[in-house]
Amino acid sequence: MAIQEICAVRANEYLGSGLYRMVIKTEKIAASAACGQFVHLTCGEGNLLRRPISICDADSEAGTLTMLYEVKGDGTAWLAARRAGDKIDVLGPLGHGFDAAKLGARPVLLGGGIGVPPMLLTAKTCAKNSAAVTMIAGARTRDLVVLEPEFSDFDYTVCTDDGSYGVHGFVTDVLREKITGATGVAACGPKPMLKAIAAIAKEAGVPCQVSMEERMGCGIGACLVCACALSAKNGETRYGHVCKDGPVFDAEEVQW
Ligand code: FES
C-alpha cells in the first residue's frame, strides 16, 4: 500500500558526474519498502509533477530511505538543491519489485549505470535469506562507478565500457563467466543490456527478472504513459503498466 508523506531530507550528497545520494526520514515507507520498488517525489514547490526514483536502500530501524539519482532536468535539479532539514513530498513504496525468494540460493544481480542502486537493497534482501549473492555492476567510465564500498560484502565485480576501472567490458561478459550454478538472475539498467542478459539467462536455463525503465506519469496505474508490451500465456500481446505491474517483470514476459 502506497503512503504519501512529507519527509525530511537527512542528507543530499553530491557524488560527482551529476549523481546524488539522498537520504530521507520516513518510518512508514522505509518499513514497507521492498527491493526493486520506487518512490514518486514531487520536484518543486507547488509542482504536482512527480519523478520516479528507485529505492537504493531502506533501513526500517533507522526509518530512512536512500535513493541515488542523476540530475537530468529541472525536477532533478530542484531535488539536488535540497538540504538537510528540507521537506519533500514522497509517495511510495510503489510498483512490483524483485522476488528475492525466487532468485534462490545463488542469485546473480546486475546493474548498469543508474540501474546499479536498486540492486543494493536487492542484494541485502537476498543475503538476509541466506543467499550467496554475486553482484556485477557496469558503468560507462570510472567516475560513474557508485556504491562500491556498499557492495563489498558480496562477490562483486565492476566493469567499465572504456576500461578505466575494473574489468574492461560489459556486465554481460562477466555474466557469461558467472552464470554456471546460478539459481536466478535479476537486472536493472538500459533495455539493450536487459535484453542481452535475458538471452544469456535463457540459454543457461536460469530464471531472470528485469526491472524496466519507462517514462512515467502518475506512477500508480491511472494513466497510460508507462505502457509496455508483454506476452500473455496464450502467446498474444497484452499491455502492462511499468509503474504498477512492474517495474520488475519476468524476462520471459517482456516483448523485446
Ligand atoms: Fe501512469 Fe504508469 S505512470 S499508468
Side-chain angles (χ1 to χ4, degrees):
M1 184 66 187
I3 299 155
Q4 184 180 0
E5 202 179 341
I6 306 298
C7 303
V9 173
R10 273 286 175 83
N12 196 17
E13 174 197 0
Y14 185 51
L15 304 176
S17 306
L19 299 169
Y20 287 77
R21 178 189 348 226
M22 179 180 271
V23 180
I24 58 170
K25 178 83 180 159
T26 165
E27 259 136 43
K28 289 187 206 140
I29 301 175
S32 57
C35 56
Q37 288 189 298
F38 65 96
V39 286
H40 222 194
L41 309 175
T42 49
C43 294
E45 259 67 62
N47 183 353
L48 295 180
L49 265 189
R50 292 178 180 268
R51 296 280 183 294
I53 313 261
S54 55
I55 294 169
C56 168
D57 203 359
D59 184 334
S60 54
E61 273 170 37
T64 55
L65 208 67
T66 303
M67 298 153 289
L68 255 71
Y69 61 94
E70 188 180 7
V71 173
K72 279 193 188 156
D74 293 350
T76 39
W78 180 88
L79 213 54
R82 297 310 95 200
R83 297 286 167 263
D86 286 352
K87 298 276 168 48
I88 54 170
D89 183 335
V90 185
L91 179 67
L94 294 170
H96 178 265
F98 291 107
D99 187 332
K102 258 197 192 165
L103 289 170
R106 297 184 61 84
V108 178
L109 314 182
L110 303 102
I114 203 67
V116 171
M119 305 322 288
L120 181 61
L121 185 57
T122 311
K124 288 185 175 182
T125 307
C126 291
K128 253 191 213 153
N129 296 347
S130 309
V133 175
T134 294
M135 171 67 198
I136 309 168
R140 282 201 315 278
T141 189
R142 179 187 194 114
D143 292 348
L144 296 171
V145 172
V146 290
L147 300 169
E148 192 166 37
E150 286 79 359
F151 280 114
S152 62
D153 289 345
F154 309 103
D155 168 23
Y156 169 76
T157 307
V158 60
C159 338
T160 49
D161 299 358
D162 64 1
S164 54
Y165 193 62
V167 174
H168 185 182
F170 298 122
V171 291
T172 42
D173 301 328
V174 182
L175 177 62
R176 280 193 194 90
E177 288 165 19
K178 303 241 178 195
I179 200 158
T180 309
T183 50
V185 169
C188 183
K191 201 166 178 182
M193 178 192 114
L194 298 181
K195 183 180 177 185
I197 289 168
I200 295 168
K202 188 171 184 181
E203 201 184 311
V206 179
C208 178
Q209 301 174 36
V210 289
S211 180
M212 307 293 288
E213 283 176 2
E214 212 62 59
R215 255 169 46 86
M216 282 191 199
C218 68
I220 53 168
C223 69
L224 284 173
V225 170
C226 68
C228 71
L230 301 168
S231 296
K233 287 215 169 77
N234 61 8
E236 285 183 3
T237 299
R238 71 178 178 94
Y239 285 86
H241 292 122
V242 171
C243 68
K244 188 162 67 83
D245 308 317
V248 175
F249 294 95
D250 186 324
E252 295 275 330
E253 258 193 304
V254 177
Q255 291 195 352
W256 300 104

